Amino acid sequence: MKGAGYISLIRLSMTMQRSVSHGNTVKSAFLIMIMIIMTQVGYLDSMNPWTNGEETLDETNDVLETGGSGSSFAYSNDKLSAGGYHTCAILDNGDLKCWGWDGNGQLGDGGSNANTNTPSSTAIDLGSGRTAVAVSAGYSHTCAILDNGDLKCWGYDNYGQLGDNGTNAATNAPSSTAIDLGSGRTAVAVSAGYEHTCAILDNGDVKCWGRDYYGQLGDGGSNANTNAPSSTAIDLGTGRTAVGVSAGHYHTCALLDNGDVKCWGSDNQGQLGDGGSVTNTNAPSTAIALGSGRSAVALSPSYSGHTCAILDDGSLKCWGLDNYGQLGRNGSSAPTNAPSSTAIDLGTGRTAVAVSAGNGHTCAILDNGEAKCWGHDDDGQLGDGGGEATTNTPSATAIALGSGRTAVALSAGSGYTCAILDNGDMKCWGNDWGGQLGDGGTNADQGSPVPISGSDTWDTSTGVSIGSGSSNTLTPSVEGVDLETGEVMANITFNAPLPPENGTIETIFEGGTNARIQNLEADIDSNDVIHATFFDPDSSSLMYVNDASGTWSS
C-alpha cells in the first residue's frame, strides 16, 4: 500500500469454509467470500469503516489476481439500477426502494401507480423477513434477488417479462410467490431489459423470458414470447456456464466462466459484436474477439444498441451504435460490429471497475473511484455541469461528486445517471420528468449531481463481479501457495481475534495519506494460514495480511 493513514476492519464472528476434498492438481484452499454478507448472489461485499485504531501492521505481501493474462477485477454493481425513467436501490439494511415513473407499477409500492420524486419512507414489501441483495430496473419493470435466492419481478408484463407464468397483467408489487427457476434452483444474478428478463442460476445456467421477437431469449427457437423461464437453459457451449448476464434493448450478452463474451438477439447496429453481417441471432454462437489474450470481467448492453465490456486488464471497449459518441472512440460516429483494437482512453494510468451503458450515453467508475460519462448530453446525463454538449470520449475531468467523495455504484438510465457514493449517499443527474432523480424537487433536469432526498444510507458494498478473472484460481503468492475458488466446501468457524465483541474496530494495516482498500475478505491458504485479503486500487494489486496465532502480522 502507498502512503500513511489507517485502515480498519470491523471484527465480526465469520463463518468460513474449507475444502472437503482436493484433486491432484489442487494445491490450496479457497478464496472465501465471507466478509459481513455472504449472499446467494455469489458476490463479495466490501466494508468501508475506515477509522483510526491502535494496532497496526507495517507491510503487506502482493498476491497475483484471478486467471487470464490480466490482473483486473470489476464491481458487481448490482445495488443500484436506473431503468427507463425509474430508479431502484438497496439500502445498507437490505431494504429496497424505487422512485420515478410508475405508470406500470414498476416502483413496486402497491399504490396507485403515481410517479414519485423521492424515495418512499416505506421499503418495498419483499416478503416476511426478506431483504434484497441485487436489483435490476428494466424500462418499465423491476426485478430483485432476495437474500434466500428467490427472484421476484413487478411492473409491466405485456410480453411476460415478469416470469410469473400468468396472464401478462402488470403488477404494482412483488408477488408472494417467487419465479419458478427450476427445482431447487436459485438466482445469483438478474438483468431486466427493455421487455425481457434474464437470470443466472446457482448452477451457472442462464434463462431468459419475455419478448423474443429478435431472438433475445437465446433459446434457438421460433422467437416466441414466453411468460416463464424455460425448463431448458440457454446453450452457452459445451461445459460452459455464465458468470455475468446483461439484457439490453432487444439483445442479451453473457459473460462465461472462461472470460468469453457471447451476445444474441438484435444486431441492427452491430451490438452483438461478432464482426459479422449485422444479422439477428436467436442463440449464442462464437465468442466476441476482445483482443489477443484478452477476456472480460464485466459487461453492459444498452437500450440504444451498443454494448460495453471491461477486460481483464482493466481496459474498456464498446461497440454497436455510436450516433452520440457513446462508444468513446473520439472519432467516427459510424456504428461498429466488433470491439476496437484500441481501448477507450480513461486517463493516464486509469482503468475501469464498473461500466453502465445507458440510452445513448455510457458511464464508468475508474479504479480511483472517479466517475466519467460520455455520449449524449441533451438532458445533462453526462453530469459535467456543462452546456449539455455531446462528447465522444471521456473528459479529462471527472464528475464532481463532492469533496473527497468517490463512486461505489453507478447506473446509466434513459437520459439520466445515478451513483452511490462511498459514504452511503446517492446522487443523480440528467432527465427528471418522472422524478427519477429522487431529489424531491420540481422534476427539472440537472446537469450536475444532486443528492437524493431523505436520510437513507445506501448499500456501499462494491462486491466483486463473479466475472472478475477468467479462471477459478489465483496464481501463487510469494509464499508459494495458491488460493482457489469454486469447489464444494464444509463449514468451519473463524472467530476473528481482538477485540471480543462484534462491531468494534481493529486496525490491521498502516498505510499512507491516500491509503485505500476495496473488497475486503477473509481467505485460508493451503498451509491453513488465515489472511485478510483486499484490493489496493492505488497499486492495482491484490494484497493480504496474515493472522498467525490470533495476532495480525505481515
Side-chain angles (χ1 to χ4, degrees), residues 3 39 98 107 268 366:
T39 72
C98 299
L107 301 189
N268 64 321
L366 309 189

Side-chain angles (χ1 to χ4, degrees), residues 51-107:
T51 306
N52 284 346
E54 297 177 355
E55 301 181 26
T56 65
L57 293 177
D58 295 326
E59 62 181 359
T60 58
N61 299 310
D62 285 344
V63 181
L64 299 179
E65 292 190 77
T66 54
S69 58
S71 59
S72 184
F73 75 107
Y75 292 171
S76 57
N77 206 29
D78 57 0
K79 312 302 184 196
L80 164 68
S81 188
Y85 298 100
H86 73 294
T87 307
C88 298
I90 300 173
L91 281 74
D92 61 348
N93 64 353
D95 282 349
L96 176 63
K97 294 184 178 182
C98 299
W99 57 94
W101 177 42
D102 196 31
N104 295 290
Q106 57 264 46
L107 301 189

Side-chain angles (χ1 to χ4, degrees), residues 186-276:
T186 56
V188 300
V190 63
S191 183
Y194 189 72
E195 293 165 332
H196 73 295
T197 306
C198 297
I200 300 177
L201 310 190
D202 56 337
N203 62 352
D205 284 349
V206 174
K207 295 184 177 183
C208 299
W209 55 94
R211 192 177 188 190
D212 197 31
Y213 183 82
Y214 298 95
Q216 58 262 51
L217 300 190
D219 55 14
S222 58
N223 292 20
N225 305 336
T226 64
N227 61 8
S230 169
S231 58
T232 304
I234 293 171
D235 182 3
L236 299 171
T238 303
R240 295 275 66 93
T241 57
V243 296
V245 68
S246 196
H249 193 209
Y250 296 129
H251 76 296
T252 306
C253 295
L255 174 56
L256 307 190
D257 56 339
N258 63 350
D260 283 350
V261 173
K262 294 184 177 183
C263 299
W264 56 92
S266 176
D267 196 31
N268 64 321
Q269 300 295 338
Q271 59 264 47
L272 300 190
D274 56 13

Side-chain angles (χ1 to χ4, degrees), residues 79 151 179 228:
K79 312 302 184 196
L151 177 61
I179 295 171

